[in-house]
Amino acid sequence: MTENLIVANFKMKLASKSEIETWIRNFEKASKNFSSSKTKVILGVPNVFLNLFKDLNKRKEFSMGAQNCFWKDQGAYTGETSPKMLKSIGVEYVILGHSERRKYFNEKNQEIAKKVEKVLKNRMTPIVCVGENQEERRKDLSMQVILKQLKEILENVGRGNIEKTILCYEPIWAISSNNPDDLPNSNEIMSARLLIKKFLVGKYGKLTAERVKIIYGGSVDSFNVKEICLDSGMEGALIGSASTKPYDFMKIIEKFEISE
Ligand code: PGA
């Protein structure tokens, strides 16, 4: 059974075919001896480069992921990529509700909710990001913000589907590109984790809640992964910057792999 979910979020950091090919070459070397029955690595890469990951995708430890999608399967929607399209080329996971989507594309919980439902309908796994920004943290509103996001995004997600959904606690202020002064410690992350679990227990019951995976995102690297992800009881990580460096990324995966 999969215990750890490590999700790479390349964003638009590697921006050409040759950069991606170099990453793949190095990652293949770095992961040469990696074989696991408990760790799943999801490669959230730009859609235009997904086909370059076909070979990695054949290994059972790796799966292709997208960083976003639209909430319709087909039709006159210029420039969009649909869940159905992603599914048809072998994508299994879709990151949804990332704070950069909220910030630059004005995505709201209701829209994210529609995307989550469509991704589930297409038998893929949504990775739903929730978390507070710096201002909300300063005003001590973090818990309220997270609960509102969960409530609105998961409004129509039933018991059967929540088990197929991954939730990611990602405090926006802790994302590396926001230049955080500090990072949440394992106790703070554990509190957010407990809050999310409590919400799940309330909405879906204890048994179902136990089956939902919760991961952490925000400046994870091979040095801090033990304290911020493992000590806080998280079941995986969403990794931006460090995932674009193949050897560093592999080190993070190994830290999860050797954890109890
Ligand atoms: P980071 O990004 O690891 O560079 O902080 C994480 C994310 O935004 O998903």
Side-chain angles (χ1 to χ4, degrees), residues 8-173:
N9 180 11
F10 276 24
K11 311 192 180 192
M12 273 185 8
K13 285 174 182 264
L14 302 177
S16 68
K17 186 172 178 234
S18 66
E19 281 179 77
I20 295 278
E21 283 170 341
T22 304
W23 186 95
I24 292 174
R25 245 191 335 272
N26 286 324
F27 189 67
E28 274 169 347
K29 279 185 214 152
S31 66
K32 200 169 63 216
N33 299 319
F34 173 63
S35 160
S36 173
S37 51
K38 67 169 192 175
T39 302
K40 174 67 127 180
V41 180
I42 298 148
L43 303 166
V45 303
N47 294 344
V48 288
F49 298 130
L50 276 165
N51 66 329
L52 300 175
F53 290 82
K54 282 248 160 75
D55 284 344
L56 272 177
N57 193 39
K58 283 183 195 143
R59 290 168 60 183
K60 69 175 193 319
E61 292 83 7
F62 303 110
S63 284
M64 293 198 294
Q67 300 171 19
N68 177 42
C69 68
F70 193 47
W71 42 271
K72 286 269 192 184
D73 272 337
Q74 201 156 0
Y77 304 102
T78 303
E80 286 296 334
T81 303
S82 79
K84 189 176 170 182
M85 292 172 182
L86 294 172
K87 177 75 183 177
S88 74
I89 59 161
V91 169
E92 291 176 84
Y93 296 81
V94 186
I95 301 169
L96 292 172
H98 191 281
S99 58
E100 285 148 21
R101 300 288 319 165
R102 294 173 185 266
K103 180 175 171 192
Y104 299 112
F105 304 93
N106 205 24
E107 276 190 20
K108 300 278 183 276
N109 293 337
Q110 285 72 12
E111 190 182 350
I112 299 162
K114 286 201 258 183
K115 295 183 178 194
V116 170
E117 285 169 50
K118 245 324 184 263
V119 163
L120 285 163
K121 231 185 192 134
N122 278 280
R123 285 173 282 112
M124 293 183 289
T125 302
I127 300 167
V128 179
C129 301
V130 296
E132 76 285 0
N133 63 28
Q134 186 65 281
E135 175 77 1
E136 290 156 351
R137 180 192 189 210
R138 213 175 35 78
K139 291 184 178 157
D140 211 11
L141 293 172
S142 306
M143 300 295 150
Q144 270 158 270
V145 169
I146 297 168
L147 282 179
K148 185 171 189 293
Q149 290 170 338
L150 288 171
K151 210 166 143 240
E152 293 181 358
I153 296 172
L154 301 177
E155 190 180 351
N156 297 317
V157 175
R159 202 166 273 177
N161 273 334
I162 192 68
E163 291 181 19
K164 299 175 195 141
T165 301
I166 297 165
L167 300 176
C168 176
Y169 170 56
E170 183 162 77
I172 299 165
W173 54 272

Side-chain angles (χ1 to χ4, degrees), residues 222-241:
S222 57
F223 300 103
N224 64 24
V225 62
K226 185 184 175 305
E227 197 211 324
I228 64 182
C229 293
L230 295 167
D231 294 353
S232 63
M234 285 290 181
E235 292 153 298
L238 177 62
I239 302 157
S241 227

